[in-house]
């Protein structure tokens, strides 16, 4: 299941504090900027909503972390989830199999970053797209979702990330084209 909040500006961070676990509250309060605090809290609350609706779990989830830092819900290793946020939206994906998710705001990309992270076919796709910024962001979120699904995170050879045809990747562009998200299931 996918849960999204793209109304970050309307979110009352102070009112959310009692709804967060102490663990998550500490993490949220470490952010120096209001946007970071808000998106951290929203991501957790989306997870809470998801585990309540999908699994009937009412208690506030606590996390432990895998070898590469991927969070696991304490006492519920069967629930796979992943969260991501950008300046425009927050997303949480839940599944009974490994899942990775990435969400990014659409913005201008640098050509040197494109050429470093995209293979020749992907570069051509971006350069010939009606909206190259959206095409770049779509491919970038796909790559990040794959890497977050595996738990390995960003790696040196980003060009080869999407070559595994056994992965199930879904990508959506927001109706106003402000952000793009991708979800990868293994």
């Amino acid at each position: 299941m996918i849960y999204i909040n793209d109304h970050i500006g309307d979110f009352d961070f102070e009112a959310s504090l009692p709804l967060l676990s102490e663990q998550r509250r500490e993490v949220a309060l470490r952010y120096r900027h209001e946007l970071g605090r808000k998106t951290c809290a929203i991501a957790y609350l989306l997870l809470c909503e998801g585990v309540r609706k999908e699994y009937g779990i009412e208690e506030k989830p606590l996390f432990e972390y895998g070898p590469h830092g991927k969070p696991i819900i304490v006492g519920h290793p069967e629930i796979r989830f992943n969260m991501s946020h950008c300046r425009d939206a927050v997303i949480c994906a839940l599944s009974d199999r490994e899942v990775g998710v990435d969400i990014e705001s659409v913005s201008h990309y640098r050509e040197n970053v494109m050429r470093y992270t995209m293979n020749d076919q992907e570069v051509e796709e971006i350069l010939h797209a009606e909206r190259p910024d959206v095409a770049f962001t779509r491919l970038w979120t796909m790559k990040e979702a794959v890497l977050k699904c595996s738990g390995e995170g960003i790696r040196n050879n980003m060009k080869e990330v999407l070559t595994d045809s056994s992965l199930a990747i879904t990508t959506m562009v927001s109706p106003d084209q402000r952000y793009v998200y991708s979800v990868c299931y293994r």
Side-chain angles (χ1 to χ4, degrees):
M1 273 329 242
I2 305 297
Y3 294 85
I4 296 178
N5 181 329
D6 58 5
H7 300 286
I8 297 169
D10 301 334
F11 184 76
D12 185 343
F13 176 71
E14 294 299 323
S16 77
L17 289 174
L19 306 173
L20 307 178
S21 68
E22 183 177 329
Q23 179 190 50
R24 191 61 173 193
R25 191 176 318 116
E26 288 174 8
V27 172
L29 290 170
R30 278 190 228 136
Y31 282 88
R32 291 181 26 203
H33 301 288
E34 180 183 20
L35 180 62
R37 290 189 296 271
K38 283 183 170 187
T39 57
C40 180
I42 292 168
Y44 182 79
L45 294 174
L46 289 174
L47 176 65
C48 290
E49 178 184 357
V51 297
R52 185 179 63 253
K53 286 181 177 178
E54 307 300 323
Y55 300 94
I57 297 171
E58 297 291 331
E59 66 263 10
K60 298 173 185 173
L62 296 176
F63 303 142
E64 56 189 6
Y65 298 89
H68 299 286
K70 189 170 183 177
I72 302 161
I73 299 174
V74 173
H76 295 283
E78 74 282 5
I79 301 173
R80 306 306 199 312
F81 74 97
N82 203 230
M83 303 178 289
S84 183
H85 54 82
C86 62
R87 71 176 176 269
D88 293 302
V90 180
I91 188 169
C92 178
L94 289 103
S95 180
D96 57 356
R97 57 188 173 146
E98 287 302 329
V99 62
V101 65
D102 187 49
I103 192 165
E104 299 288 340
S105 298
V106 174
S107 64
H108 179 74
Y109 64 92
R110 295 193 323 257
E111 185 170 341
N112 65 330
V113 172
M114 174 188 67
R115 295 204 181 273
Y116 183 76
T117 59
M118 304 293 165
N119 63 39
D120 292 342
Q121 180 182 347
E122 293 164 344
V123 167
E124 287 302 310
E125 183 179 331
I126 293 165
L127 293 177
H128 290 94
E130 183 178 321
R131 289 277 313 266
D133 54 345
V134 173
F136 175 84
T137 306
R138 183 181 62 79
L139 287 164
W140 179 263
T141 62
M142 292 171 69
K143 290 174 184 253
E144 277 224 38
V146 167
L147 294 171
K148 289 175 75 178
C149 184
S150 70
E152 64 183 295
I154 300 296
R155 63 181 183 189
N156 287 337
N157 189 359
M158 293 292 288
K159 293 181 179 188
E160 302 306 316
V161 171
L162 299 178
T163 59
D164 182 351
S165 62
S166 70
L167 298 169
I169 305 171
T170 302
T171 302
M172 297 295 294
V173 178
S174 67
D176 57 6
Q177 297 192 0
R178 282 185 306 146
Y179 61 88
V180 177
Y181 71 85
S182 292
V183 183
C184 176
Y185 297 97
R186 193 194 314 250

